[in-house]
C-alpha cells in the first residue's frame, strides 16, 4: 500500500504546515514533553486521531480535555489504546449547545481518520476507504506529525480507570444507532416537546322536549322536561 502524499500536495488547510513549528492547539500543549517510559511506549504502540479540514476556532476534545484549535491543527497523537470519547463543536464558545461526540475504540497503532463537515458541523469518516487508508499510512509515516498534538497523558490514568470495564460490546449496546451523541439542546427543541395547555370542553346544547334548549347533565343525558 502506497504511503500518503505529504500535506503540501494535499491542500488540507489554509496553507502548507511548517514542520519547524509545534502543533497548533490553542492553548498549545506543553512543549518539550518529558521522555518517560510511557511516552516511549506510546511512540511505538500508541494511536492517532487525524482530523482533516478543521476550521480555526472550532472546539476539539478527547476524553477529559478540549481545546480551541489553531489553523494548523490536524489531530492528536500518542493516544493510549482503548476506549475514548471524541467530541467537537463549530465554536470553542459553543460548548453544550451544538457539541457532537462519539465513542472510539482503538487498538495499538490504530489511526482514526475524520473530516470536518461544514454542513453538519461534525467530524465524519471519509467516504472513500482507500483515501482513509492512505491518510492512515501517512500518519504512521510521520507525514502529519508536526500538526498532531500529544494526548494529555496527565489525565490518562483517570480516564483508564473510568473506562476499564467498558468493553466494545457494552458500548455497542448503549450508544445510539447512528453512533453520534449530540447535545440535548441541539437535538431537541424544548418548544416542540412542550405539551399545549388543555382546552376547555364546550358543552353542546341539547334540545329539550317542548322546543327549549338545555345542557347535558353530568352523565351526558338530556335534562329533565318541564311541565
Amino acid at each position: 500500500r502506497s504511503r500518503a502524499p505529504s500535506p503540501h500536495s494535499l491542500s488540507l488547510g489554509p496553507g502548507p504546515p511548517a514542520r519547524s513549528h509545534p502543533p497548533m492547539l490553542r492553548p498549545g500543549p506543553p512543549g518539550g514533553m518529558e521522555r518517560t517510559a510511557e511516552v516511549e511506549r506510546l511512540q511505538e504502540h500508541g494511536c492517532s486521531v487525524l482530523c482533516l479540514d478543521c476550521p480555526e476556532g472550532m472546539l476539539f476534545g478527547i476524553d477529559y480535555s478540549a481545546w480551541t484549535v489553531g489553523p494548523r491543527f490536524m489531530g492528536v497523537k500518542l493516544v493510549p489504546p482503548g476506549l475514548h470519547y471524541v467530541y467537537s463543536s463549530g465554536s470553542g464558545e459553543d460548548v453544550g449547545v451544538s457539541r457532537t461526540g462519539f465513542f472510539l475504540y482503538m487498538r495499538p497503532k490504530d489511526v482514526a481518520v475524520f473530516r470536518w463537515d461544514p454542513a453538519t458541523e461534525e467530524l465524519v469518516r471519509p467516504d472513500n476507504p482507500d483515501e482513509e487508508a492512505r491518510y492512515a499510512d501517512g500518519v504512521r509515516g510521520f507525514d502529519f506529525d508536526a500538526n498532531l498534538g500529544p494526548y494529555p497523558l496527565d489525565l490518562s490514568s483517570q480516564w483508564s480507570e473510568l473506562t476499564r470495564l467498558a468493553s466494545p460490546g457494552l458500548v455497542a449496546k448503549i450508544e445510539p444507532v447512528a453512533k453520534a451523541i449530540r447535545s440535548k439542546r441541539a437535538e431537541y427543541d424544548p418548544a416542540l416537546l412542550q405539551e399545549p395547555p388543555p382546552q376547555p370542553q364546550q358543552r353542546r346544547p341539547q334540545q329539550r322536549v317542548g322546543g327549549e334548549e338545555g345542557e347535558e347533565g353530568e352523565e351526558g343525558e338530556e335534562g329533565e322536561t318541564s311541565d
Side-chain angles (χ1 to χ4, degrees), residues 7-179:
H8 297 267
S9 61
L10 292 173
S11 300
L12 299 176
R19 291 183 177 272
S20 59
H21 294 281
M24 295 300 290
L25 280 171
R26 192 171 60 232
M33 289 185 64
E34 184 180 356
R35 197 171 184 83
T36 63
E38 183 179 14
V39 171
E40 293 182 352
R41 178 180 62 84
L42 292 174
Q43 285 179 331
E44 180 68 23
H45 302 287
C47 311
S48 299
V49 179
L50 181 68
C51 304
L52 307 173
D53 301 335
C54 291
E56 182 178 3
M58 68 166 280
L59 176 85
F60 174 85
I62 180 169
D63 302 339
Y64 281 132
S65 301
W67 305 269
T68 299
V69 308
R72 298 200 307 274
F73 169 81
M74 295 183 71
V76 178
K77 60 185 176 181
L78 300 179
V79 180
L83 181 67
H84 297 280
Y85 184 69
V86 177
Y87 49 97
S88 62
S89 176
S91 170
E93 300 178 356
D94 210 14
V95 177
V97 176
S98 61
R99 189 169 67 180
T100 302
F102 49 86
F103 288 106
L104 186 63
Y105 191 84
M106 308 191 76
R107 296 167 298 181
K109 301 184 179 181
D110 271 356
V111 177
V113 181
F114 299 93
R115 186 184 299 276
W116 178 257
D117 185 347
T120 62
E121 293 193 335
E122 295 178 2
L123 290 170
V124 298
R125 292 277 192 179
D127 295 330
N128 190 327
D130 291 336
E131 177 189 25
E132 183 176 0
R134 289 197 302 270
Y135 278 116
D137 283 347
V139 172
R140 296 187 182 100
F142 304 103
D143 290 340
F144 304 99
D145 202 58
N147 299 89
L148 301 176
Y151 181 89
L153 297 178
D154 55 328
L155 299 175
S156 176
S157 60
Q158 299 179 38
W159 181 258
S160 296
E161 177 63 22
L162 178 67
T163 60
R164 63 187 177 89
L165 299 179
S167 65
L170 176 62
V171 173
K173 292 180 180 180
I174 64 175
E175 67 181 349
V177 175
K179 308 298 183 183

